[in-house]
Amino acid sequence: MSRIWNFIKSWTVEMGSPPLFFQWSSKALPWLAIISIIVFSIGMVWGIFYSPTDYKQGDVYRIIYIHVPSAILGQSILMFMAICGFITVVWRVKISGMLIKSAASIGASFTLIALITGSIWGKPTWGTWWVWDARLTSTLILFFIYTAIIGLHSSLDDKTKADRAISILSLVGIAIIPIIKKSVDWWYTLHQPSTFTLSSAPSMAPDMYQPLLVCVLGFYLIFAFLLTMNLRAEIVFREKNKTWVSKQYLNRQKNDK
Amino acid sequence: MINNLSAIIYMDGNGLYVWVCLLVLILILGINIYLPSRRLKKIYKENKTNGL
């Protein structure tokens, strides 16, 4: 057990170093891309083509396989950013600041997908594209938090200060997560109750629920892939004047040509 | 399970909603893949121009 713990500890410390992360991610990225595309495609094909039609909503419910994983990711990414924010503020680990910056645009994208697909789903089921419902409004606030984080970071030239500022904003912004989660219980909303809960069994049929789980896993893998890509670009951008970047990336690119 | 191609596309009149959602997803994910690649290319080009 202690060997596993020591391995995790040394791996985490190694990944905290931009050159080592860059080296490791060069090897891991193609595999991550392949695995994420496979799992994502299985989930999508299973959900859209092979899951049964809902007796009440018909085929429009298939939007769930895009909307629910996007909404889960939109919230999870902010929690991830808050953890990185805590690490940045307390231990000042350089890469965790870069992680927040890299994750913010992905989080904003998934939240935007959740808002757009939810709106499209709302039209045939509720008869309207948008209502100022508690769940919808709190998710829109989540999107604004992401845009504020992106805007704040790009407005500051000193990247160390920018990292600390967005760390604090992520830690403050996380307050929206329980509000989104509980919005369907605290207020009367048009939005249906949460699809995923830890305390009770799913209300959906297993034929519908299983592809949704695969989709969620696929979306998490896509997030890991996108985050690695973004982080690599951020590392090269910030450390472009350092020798290791010239050796590991820029000169290798020249040799490839 | 949806059996034939026209049923897949039409989905009892709901096909448009489902396919637009899928399109939005692919479009936004595509942008997220393109942007970091473009950023890396730009840094490489700058580096080349500076003759480093």
Side-chain angles (χ1 to χ4, degrees):
Chain A
M1 195 67 189
S2 67
R3 278 175 72 183
I4 298 168
W5 173 243
N6 284 339
F7 170 76
I8 293 169
K9 227 166 96 177
S10 64
W11 187 80
T12 315
V13 171
E14 272 184 27
M15 288 306 109
S17 151
L20 287 174
F21 173 82
F22 197 85
Q23 210 175 4
W24 172 84
S25 65
S26 303
K27 291 173 197 154
L29 199 64
W31 290 105
L32 197 55
I34 294 166
I35 294 166
S36 57
I37 288 168
I38 290 172
V39 178
F40 174 79
S41 307
I42 291 171
M44 280 292 136
V45 171
W46 191 2
I48 291 178
F49 300 115
Y50 292 96
S51 62
T53 306
D54 185 69
Y55 82 100
K56 217 173 185 178
Q57 294 187 33
D59 286 314
V60 81
Y61 97 94
R62 291 178 202 280
I63 293 174
I64 200 174
Y65 299 108
I66 301 165
H67 175 74
V68 172
S70 306
I72 290 173
L73 257 290
Q75 293 164 42
S76 304
I77 293 171
L78 190 67
M79 289 195 269
F80 168 76
M81 285 163 63
I83 294 166
C84 292
F86 183 77
I87 295 168
T88 310
V89 172
V90 178
W91 291 292
R92 303 192 178 195
V93 178
K94 195 161 62 172
I95 209 162
S96 59
M98 294 182 190
L99 271 169
I100 305 172
K101 202 264 165 179
S102 308
S105 57
I106 310 168
S109 301
F110 278 117
T111 310
L112 185 65
I113 294 168
L115 285 168
I116 295 172
T117 55
S119 179
I120 294 169
W121 195 2
K123 185 64 184 163
T125 50
W126 300 343
T128 179
W129 297 103
W130 184 266
V131 279
W132 291 101
D133 171 278
R135 174 59 73 86
L136 276 71
T137 311
S138 52
T139 307
L140 184 66
I141 293 169
L142 174 68
F143 178 70
F144 290 147
I145 290 170
Y146 280 122
T147 52
I149 290 169
I150 297 165
L152 182 63
H153 196 277
S154 51
S155 68
L156 295 168
D157 289 330
D158 184 342
K159 293 301 165 200
T160 315
K161 272 186 188 169
D163 283 348
R164 296 203 78 198
I166 59 167
S167 299
I168 293 163
L169 191 53
S170 305
L171 284 165
V172 174
I174 203 167
I176 195 70
I177 303 299
I179 298 172
I180 297 173
K181 269 268 170 252
K182 286 284 168 191
S183 59
V184 284
D185 305 321
W186 289 344
W187 294 283
Y188 173 75
T189 61
L190 260 180
H191 196 283
Q192 67 205 57
S194 297
T195 311
F196 283 96
T197 51
L198 293 171
S199 54
S200 58
S203 53
M204 289 167 78
D207 287 358
M208 294 173 172
Y209 196 71
Q210 285 156 359
L212 186 58
L213 287 176
V214 179
C215 282
V216 172
L217 180 66
F219 273 62
Y220 270 108
L221 287 167
I222 292 273
F223 164 62
F225 168 66
L226 293 175
L227 183 67
T228 310
M229 273 188 84
N230 270 352
L231 186 58
R232 281 169 62 83
E234 189 65 28
I235 289 172
V236 172
F237 174 74
R238 289 202 203 178
E239 311 227 323
K240 58 187 169 193
N241 298 324
K242 294 203 173 156
T243 330
W244 75 265
V245 175
S246 315
K247 276 184 186 163
Q248 276 192 35
Y249 176 70
L250 298 169
N251 284 343
R252 208 186 65 201
Q253 289 273 312
K254 276 179 196 168
N255 294 338
D256 288 348
K257 299 226 165 175
Chain B
M1 186 192 158
I2 302 171
N3 291 315
N4 57 52
L5 189 67
S6 62
I8 286 171
I9 295 165
Y10 190 61
M11 286 187 189
D12 280 334
N14 294 315
L16 187 67
Y17 297 114
V18 179
W19 298 121
V20 168
C21 285
L22 196 63
L23 197 74
V24 167
L25 173 75
I26 291 166
L27 191 77
I28 295 177
L29 290 185
I31 293 169
N32 272 284
I33 293 169
Y34 170 71
L35 288 179
S37 322
R38 196 187 70 164
R39 199 175 178 203
L40 278 175
K41 249 183 208 170
K42 208 176 151 189
I43 297 166
Y44 169 70
K45 265 186 190 169
E46 272 175 20
N47 179 268
K48 210 175 157 185
T49 320
N50 294 337
L52 291 169

